[in-house]
Each structure stands twice: as structure tokens, then as C-alpha cells.
């Protein structure tokens, strides 16, 4: 581009308040000026006629609109990246919590089972009530808050607690009792099924204590419970 053309480019851009034409955009401006039909006049022309000025403004408006869209797209990408970072941080936090829970002090001391425990909840302890030991009801009422905060996060998407989940419950000697973990009457979390066999086998009495863990078996990935008794 000649020095004269370069000067005209800067002059024209300055006239309409936009100073960063690309070469292609400058050629469009030249084409607009060529409507006058005089190449020499075109190179020396300092001001657009009204019609040409409006068309050029439309060109610049389109360019600004494209830049804004690009900026918005970048913001959307940044939001998506932030969302991904948040998920990653959350997952890392959960894994750290799992590591904290998985120290030896928090694992159920079930005979011969320690090496088969993968993800494990924190335990809770409750005193046996009359309703817990009723044969006709055959269900252990679990602490609702503890279940929601410590047990439910261990469930898989295909496990439906409303329908009931078949689980294995271990006592501290490693003996197995088949039970069902479910929500009862839409608000009570219970262990049922083999619960009657468990409390009868251990001669549980009202006000005896029971400590309850929930965990995943490392080989089968099945949901399991560990139950420890403390007599009063």
C-alpha cells in the first residue's frame, strides 16, 4: 500500500471513529468511495458522502457486533471452565474426606474383613428401643440425619432405596446376616428382613448400644453394613 493510501486509511478511520481496519475492510471502504467513479478523487477524498458514510458505519457496527459475540463466547467458555474446576475441586474434596474416613480408627473392626472394605461411612451409635426389638415389626430404625449425610452418598445411581436395597450385615465376628436397607413410610430409614435374626442371635435388650457402619465391599462392590454391640 502506498504512503498516500496509508494516510487516507488513517484519515478515513479517524473520521468515523474507528482506527483498526483490516486490509479487507479498507478495501471495502475504497469500493464505497469508488461509487464516485473517480480513482484519483477516491485516493484524495477525505470525507464520505452521507450514503457511503452510513454503509461504512453499518460495516463497523457488524464488526463490533461480531467482537461482542466473540467476547460473550469467551465468557461462556470461561464459565464452563469454572464449572469444571468446581466439579474437580468437589471431587477432590470428597476423596480427601474418604481418605480421612478410611483411617483405621474409623473402620469397623470386623474379623477378617478389614482388607475388603473400600468406601466406608462414619459410624453412628444408638440405644435399642422397644420398637427396634419387636418381632412383628422386624426393623431397625436408623438415624435419619446420619443416613442422609454419611450413608446415602455411598449409593450407586441404580440402587433404589424406596424399593429397598439388598445388603449384607456383618457382626464383629464376621458372621453374615442378609437384610434390606430402605426408606419406610417415605421418611424412616430402616434395616429390615434379617434384622430379627440378628437381634435374637445377639440377645439384644432395650438400652443396649449398637454401632452402625455402611461400606462397599472391595471385591463385589456390594453395599454392606457392620454392626457392633455394646451391652449395658
Amino acid at each position: 500500500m502506498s504512503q498516500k493510501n496509508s494516510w487516507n486509511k488513517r484519515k478515513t478511520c479517524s473520521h468515523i471513529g474507528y482506527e483498526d481496519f483490516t486490509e479487507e475492510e479498507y478495501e471495502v471502504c475504497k469500493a464505497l468511495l469508488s461509487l464516485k467513479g473517480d480513482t484519483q478523487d477516491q485516493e484524495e477524498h477525505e470525507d464520505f458522502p452521507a450514503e457511503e458514510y452510513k454503509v461504512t458505519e453499518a460495516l463497523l457496527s457488524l464488526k463490533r457486533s461480531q467482537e461482542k459475540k466473540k467476547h460473550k463466547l469467551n465468557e461462556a467458555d470461561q464459565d464452563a471452565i469454572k464449572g469444571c474446576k468446581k466439579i474437580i475441586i468437589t471431587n477432590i474434596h470428597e476423596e480427601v474426606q474418604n481418605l480421612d474416613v478410611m483411617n483405621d480408627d474409623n473402620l469397623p473392626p470386623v474379623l477378617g474383613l478389614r482388607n475388603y472394605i473400600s468406601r466406608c461411612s462414619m459410624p453412628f451409635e444408638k440405644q435399642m428401643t422397644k420398637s427396634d426389638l419387636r418381632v412383628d415389626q422386624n426393623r431397625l430404625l436408623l438415624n435419619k440425619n446420619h443416613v442422609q449425610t454419611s450413608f446415602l452418598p455411598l449409593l450407586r445411581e441404580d440402587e433404589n432405596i424406596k424399593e429397598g436395597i439388598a445388603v449384607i450385615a456383618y457382626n464383629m465376628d464376621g458372621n453374615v446376616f442378609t437384610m434390606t436397607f430402605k426408606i419406610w413410610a417415605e421418611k424412616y430409614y430402616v434395616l429390615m428382613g434379617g434384622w430379627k435374626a440378628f437381634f435374637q442371635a445377639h440377645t439384644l435388650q432395650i438400652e443396649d448400644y449398637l454401632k452402625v457402619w455402611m461400606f462397599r465391599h472391595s471385591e463385589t462392590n456390594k453395599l454392606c453394613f457392620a454392626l457392633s454391640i455394646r451391652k449395658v
Side-chain angles (χ1 to χ4, degrees):
M1 183 184 296
S2 69
Q3 290 182 352
K4 191 172 186 179
N5 281 347
S6 297
W7 183 89
N8 281 336
K9 174 181 176 181
R10 292 193 297 273
K11 183 82 171 177
T12 300
C13 293
S14 176
H15 171 70
I16 58 177
Y18 195 87
E19 301 181 359
D20 291 317
F21 276 106
T22 64
E23 292 298 325
E24 292 80 7
E25 291 162 348
Y26 179 60
E27 291 302 321
V28 173
C29 292
K30 286 175 63 180
L32 290 172
L33 289 176
S34 71
L35 293 174
K36 296 181 66 66
D38 186 344
T39 304
Q40 183 66 27
D41 287 344
Q42 165 194 326
E43 293 182 353
E44 297 179 351
H45 193 69
E46 296 182 4
D47 296 311
F48 284 105
E51 295 81 3
E52 296 167 2
Y53 181 73
K54 289 179 181 179
V55 175
T56 306
E57 278 196 322
L59 170 67
L60 295 175
S61 176
L62 176 62
K63 180 176 178 63
R64 293 187 186 107
S65 175
Q66 291 173 339
E67 289 178 342
K68 287 181 180 178
K69 288 181 180 179
K70 182 178 179 181
H71 182 66
K72 289 181 180 178
L73 179 63
N74 290 339
E75 287 181 347
D77 291 342
Q78 291 174 3
D79 289 341
I81 292 171
K82 288 179 181 178
C84 291
K85 287 181 178 178
K86 185 175 181 180
I87 293 172
I88 292 170
I89 291 172
T90 300
N91 289 340
I92 291 173
H93 180 66
E94 289 178 353
E95 291 300 324
V96 170
Q97 286 183 322
N98 288 337
L99 290 175
D100 290 340
V101 170
M102 288 296 290
N103 67 59
D104 287 346
D105 292 337
N106 294 326
L107 293 178
V110 179
L111 185 65
L113 194 65
R114 181 62 62 88
N115 294 332
Y116 299 98
I117 297 173
S118 59
R119 298 179 64 196
C120 183
S121 74
M122 292 291 290
F124 78 92
E125 189 174 56
K126 69 167 291 183
Q127 269 189 308
M128 294 295 94
T129 65
K130 184 176 181 179
S131 63
D132 287 327
L133 302 177
R134 284 181 56 174
V135 173
D136 60 325
Q137 290 194 2
N138 187 23
R139 58 110 183 100
L140 171 68
L141 182 64
L142 303 173
N143 182 289
K144 183 177 181 178
N145 288 335
H146 191 86
V147 168
Q148 291 177 336
T149 58
S150 296
F151 288 4
L152 297 187
L154 297 184
L155 299 186
R156 300 193 309 253
E157 290 184 1
D158 61 336
E159 292 173 325
N160 190 331
I161 195 169
K162 291 183 178 180
E163 295 179 358
I165 304 169
V167 300
I168 299 296
Y170 294 87
N171 67 6
M172 295 302 99
D173 295 326
N175 297 320
V176 170
F177 297 82
T178 302
M179 300 187 190
T180 300
F181 176 44
K182 71 178 302 182
I183 187 168
W184 176 59
E186 298 294 329
K187 57 181 178 179
Y188 301 110
Y189 295 96
V190 297
L191 278 177
M192 52 195 307
W195 167 245
K196 178 176 68 174
F198 181 90
F199 76 71
Q200 289 179 334
H202 296 85
T203 62
L204 282 174
Q205 303 294 320
I206 296 174
E207 296 186 352
D208 284 344
Y209 287 90
L210 185 73
K211 185 178 284 189
V212 183
W213 294 260
M214 192 172 82
F215 64 92
R216 288 276 177 192
H217 196 285
S218 62
E219 289 192 346
T220 65
N221 201 32
K222 296 292 185 181
L223 202 60
C224 302
F225 281 79
L227 306 175
S228 174
I229 298 166
R230 179 165 62 89
K231 293 283 189 176
V232 294

